[in-house]
Amino acid sequence: MDRTTLIDIEDRYGAHNYLPLDVVIERGEGVWVYDVAGKRYLDCLSAYSALNQGHCHRRVIQALVDQAQKLTLTSRAFRNDQLPLLCKEICKLAGYGMFLPMNTGAEAVETALKTARRWAYEEKGVPDGQAEMITCQNNFHGRTITIITFSTEPLYRDGFGPFTPGFVTIPYGDAGALERAITPHTAAFLVEPIQGEAGVIVPPDGYLKQVRDICTRHNVLFMADEIQTGLGRTGKLFACDHENVRPDVMILGKALGGGIYPVSGVLASKEILGIFEPGMHGSTFSGNPLGAAVARESLRVLVEEGMIENAAVMGGYFIGHLREALDGNERVRDIRGKGLLVGVELHVEVGGARKFCEELAVRGLLCKETHKDVVRFAPPLMIDGEATDWAMQQIVEVLDMPLSDLRTVS
Ligand SMILES: *Cc1c(COP(=O)(O)O)cnc(C)c1O
């Protein structure tokens, strides 16, 4: 079916909770995707970092197919032969004592919130029903009602109340604000080591170390949402590794399923995750053997194929070169990021980044604006020098074009 027919059908029968670029993708391989007319694009979004391993990675697909032909779901009413190995392998890789598997990112965040509340009542001695959680302005942690309770984006919140009590919000990157916000009832501080959705906001150097120190001193759980920044995206296994900081609770999702199958989860010590007893929490599909097999292979591929190191090398090259080539471009306000999570912020007067994303799509590079003025570039982690050079050339040229020359895909 052709592109416009498919778009019409989707717009007629599908809810309009997204505003996609009108590219209709049919096939993907590594860093490349192909639309229904066979046109090739370089994917510089990677499904918001869910595709760190690239599209349809051969080994992960093989693991999926092999497992799908054997066993897909047991529910946790019974055990399966994949979940134990995923738990062990991810704990060893990440340096934690226990893993609690879920499916989507938002579910993993909810799991972390429940963990912290229960921990506060049982371990910290907070009076029942009074646990508080601290979060940051401009955070993104998912879309459930509890999670949007502490969103500061009106679009995500308006009209969805009433909300969940027990959350306070402080400025991001401000360790002093964290210390001042802590009370005897504070259970946890939930934070992204780099705020992806907010526009690739990198906190000041030393922030995560200070957070670690403050949380330790006040017996508050430091919970890092590394759903977007984790698993190699920033050139280290976790973004917290850049400051050699170990959060008490590590929240993962997205690339844990290799962009193939939703797998998420929470890592913590035995003391913390040990608060869960049978029946207290769960999800029918969590820890299913199909997802566990996919996650195991997704982790192996990241490590064995050197993707994390490649993200560091290519990311450094990408940011360095863009800064140089866009130096003097009057539209560009800031270029920032770590590894292959890169944000190019335009001045407000430019009137939004969307039109540049459209022109880039016409040229065969897929990326997406976040929060109007920032373009996020986050290609799969195995991108090579040649594709990186081509991408940078397109970006530099497009950001230099007269507005009237910019084309749109639709
Ligand atoms: C994507 C994302 C989530 C939510 O994950 P879903 O799978 O979409 O529910 C949470 N936190 C961060 C930092 C994310 O990037």
Side-chain angles (χ1 to χ4, degrees), residues 257-279:
I260 287 173
Y261 187 94
V263 185
S264 69
V266 169
L267 284 159
S269 65
K270 284 191 183 3
E271 291 70 42
I272 294 169
L273 275 180
I275 58 104
F276 282 109
E277 285 163 24

Side-chain angles (χ1 to χ4, degrees), residues 48 103-107 109 140-143 192 196-197 225-229 254:
Y48 304 94
N103 310 286
T104 66
E107 281 178 312
V109 172
F140 184 83
H141 298 289
R143 302 291 201 154
E192 299 155 87
E197 296 309 298
D225 180 346
E226 293 237 22
I227 291 170
Q228 185 162 156
T229 54
K254 295 204 166 110

Side-chain angles (χ1 to χ4, degrees), residues 107-129:
E107 281 178 312
V109 172
E110 289 272 352
T111 301
L113 299 175
K114 287 170 86 171
T115 306
R117 282 187 170 180
R118 196 79 182 210
W119 172 86
Y121 301 133
E122 286 188 2
E123 302 295 321
K124 182 163 172 167
V126 172
D128 195 35

Side-chain angles (χ1 to χ4, degrees), residues 21-84:
L21 288 180
D22 281 336
V23 172
V24 182
I25 301 166
E26 178 182 71
R27 189 162 67 81
E29 191 185 345
V31 298
W32 302 102
V33 294
Y34 301 82
D35 72 10
V36 287
K39 178 175 170 180
R40 188 174 87 150
Y41 302 83
L42 179 67
D43 182 357
C44 283
L45 182 65
S46 305
Y48 304 94
S49 293
L51 284 155
N52 287 0
Q53 297 89 345
H55 287 271
C56 298
H57 192 289
R58 268 258 221 24
R59 283 176 54 183
V60 188
I61 293 290
Q62 194 59 53
L64 174 92
V65 169
D66 289 347
Q67 188 59 43
Q69 288 172 337
K70 282 205 301 202
L71 181 73
T72 57
L73 183 61
T74 52
S75 82
R76 299 290 299 276
F78 313 110
R79 296 181 190 262
N80 68 68
D81 70 348
Q82 291 299 310
L83 176 61

